[in-house]
């Protein structure tokens, strides 16, 4: 069933259609606009965007991995993704072991696994909507602060998770905290790929995000060592507190990333050529109208 569904999804993948509305809008703006607007349309393409919106629109689409690994933003994101995955692996791999200690109802734990999977998928939608709806000025501010909020929320959950064994309604508290864990896990895999594509462009996104994801190998090996070797020695309390500390470091690096400003971006060759064609059409249309008025 999964193979069939994946095959159908692959068959339906396609690039979005190119819109011709931008050229028509420029021609209309030339005809009805002021002299200053006409001069702007007929001038050469700007080398640097004038606003955050234009900066996003004209972002260079081909940042190859060779270029990406030379930037500070790549290594900040790489380290953030490495650390936040410690929380992902530890949380997803030990929540049931932690619950078995004081919850004897196997049916409840099995049901929590199903609920956690649903919350994981729902969390990706929630974090994506939040990142899209928040103000994005200055450049990519909402996405950067969503990374901060996701890490901070996750760190708080891990710091407080061991304390729920002291409350009266253990099953309710356990269920709520497990949902919090998987809500944040969904946010991780919604925000970091989006941030990668936003900074480095979408053309080489699979390779660029693949390089950022290499930190997962380190986290997987380290987390396996922590769970199998250190957990019997120190217990769940220190495991979750240590994980919360690692995830809290992501908050610090997200602030560094929030202060990071990408270098000036330039229109691609295709965008320059499109702008040039629109400008030439507008100029010819303007000269033709002037000749007709003179007659």
């Amino acid at each position: 069933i999964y193979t069939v569904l994946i095959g159908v999804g692959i068959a339906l993948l396609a690039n979005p259609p190119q819109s011709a509305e931008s050229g028509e809008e420029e021609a209309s703006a030339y005809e009805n606009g002021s002299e200053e607007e006409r001069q702007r349309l007929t001038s050469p393409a700007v080398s640097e965007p004038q606003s955050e919106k234009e900066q996003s629109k004209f972002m260079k689409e081909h940042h190859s991995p060779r270029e990406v690994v030379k930037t500070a933003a790549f290594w900040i994101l790489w380290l953030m993704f490495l650390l936040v995955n410690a929380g992902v692996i530890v949380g997803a791999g030990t929540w049931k072991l932690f619950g078995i200690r004081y919850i004897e109802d196997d049916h409840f734990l099995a049901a929590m696994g199903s609920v956690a999977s649903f919350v994981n998928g729902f969390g990706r939608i929630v974090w994506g909507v939040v990142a899209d709806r928040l103000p994005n000025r200055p450049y990519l501010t909402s996405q950067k602060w969503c990374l901060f909020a996701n890490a901070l929320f996750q760190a708080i959950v891990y710091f407080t998770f061991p304390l729920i064994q002291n409350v009266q309604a253990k099953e309710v508290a356990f269920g709520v905290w497990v949902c919090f864990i998987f809500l944040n896990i969904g946010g991780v895999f919604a925000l970091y790929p989006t941030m990668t594509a936003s900074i480095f462009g979408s053309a080489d996104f699979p390779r660029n995000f693949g390089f950022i994801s290499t930190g997962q190998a380190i986290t997987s090996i380290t987390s396996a060592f922590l769970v199998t070797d250190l957990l019997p020695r120190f217990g769940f309390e220190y495991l979750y507190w240590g994980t919360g500390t690692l995830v809290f470091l992501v908050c610090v690096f997200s602030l560094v990333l929030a202060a990071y400003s990408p270098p000036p971006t330039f229109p691609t060759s295709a965008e320059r050529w499109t702008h040039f064609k629109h400008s030439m059409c507008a100029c010819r249309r303007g000269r033709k109208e002037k000749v007709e008025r003179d007659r």
Side-chain angles (χ1 to χ4, degrees), residues 222-238:
T222 306
S223 300
F225 169 74
L226 291 174
V227 173
T228 58
D229 190 63
L230 297 184
L231 179 58
R233 298 184 185 182
F234 301 101
F236 283 96
E237 289 79 5
Y238 287 99

Side-chain angles (χ1 to χ4, degrees), residues 95-264:
W95 68 270
K96 195 169 184 178
L97 294 174
F98 180 64
I100 290 176
R101 297 173 63 192
Y102 55 89
I103 297 177
E104 299 179 356
D105 189 351
D106 292 335
H107 295 286
F108 172 78
L109 294 175
M112 277 308 308
S114 300
V115 173
S117 299
F118 170 79
V119 174
N120 183 11
F122 182 71
R124 303 179 188 224
I125 300 175
V126 171
W127 283 103
V129 169
V130 171
D132 289 339
R133 293 295 177 88
L134 289 178
N136 211 24
R137 295 186 179 186
Y139 184 60
L140 296 180
T141 297
S142 66
Q143 295 183 28
K144 294 173 183 177
W145 285 109
C146 279
L147 295 180
F148 174 85
N150 177 267
L152 181 61
F153 189 20
Q154 192 171 166
I156 293 173
V157 169
Y158 282 118
F159 280 128
T160 57
F161 195 28
L163 304 179
I164 65 173
Q165 57 188 335
N166 301 322
V167 301
Q168 293 290 335
K170 291 183 174 59
E171 292 186 356
V172 175
F174 177 78
V176 171
W177 255 251
V178 169
C179 289
F180 283 160
I181 289 174
F182 280 88
L183 184 69
N184 283 294
I185 290 176
V188 168
F189 294 104
L191 296 174
Y192 282 86
T194 304
M195 194 66 187
T196 303
S198 297
I199 294 179
F200 303 118
S202 58
D204 287 310
F205 163 75
R207 291 192 297 166
N208 292 335
F209 188 69
F211 275 88
I212 288 180
S213 299
T214 55
Q216 279 186 297
I218 300 174
T219 308
S220 300
I221 297 173
T222 306
S223 300
F225 169 74
L226 291 174
V227 173
T228 58
D229 190 63
L230 297 184
L231 179 58
R233 298 184 185 182
F234 301 101
F236 283 96
E237 289 79 5
Y238 287 99
L239 174 66
Y240 288 131
W241 293 340
T243 303
T245 302
L246 293 177
V247 176
F248 183 76
L249 291 176
V250 178
C251 298
V252 179
F253 287 110
S254 65
L255 295 177
V256 177
L257 186 66
Y260 171 81
S261 178

Side-chain angles (χ1 to χ4, degrees), residues 27-34 37-38:
S28 176
Y30 184 90
E31 294 177 0
N32 304 322
S34 61
E37 180 69 12
R38 293 187 179 186

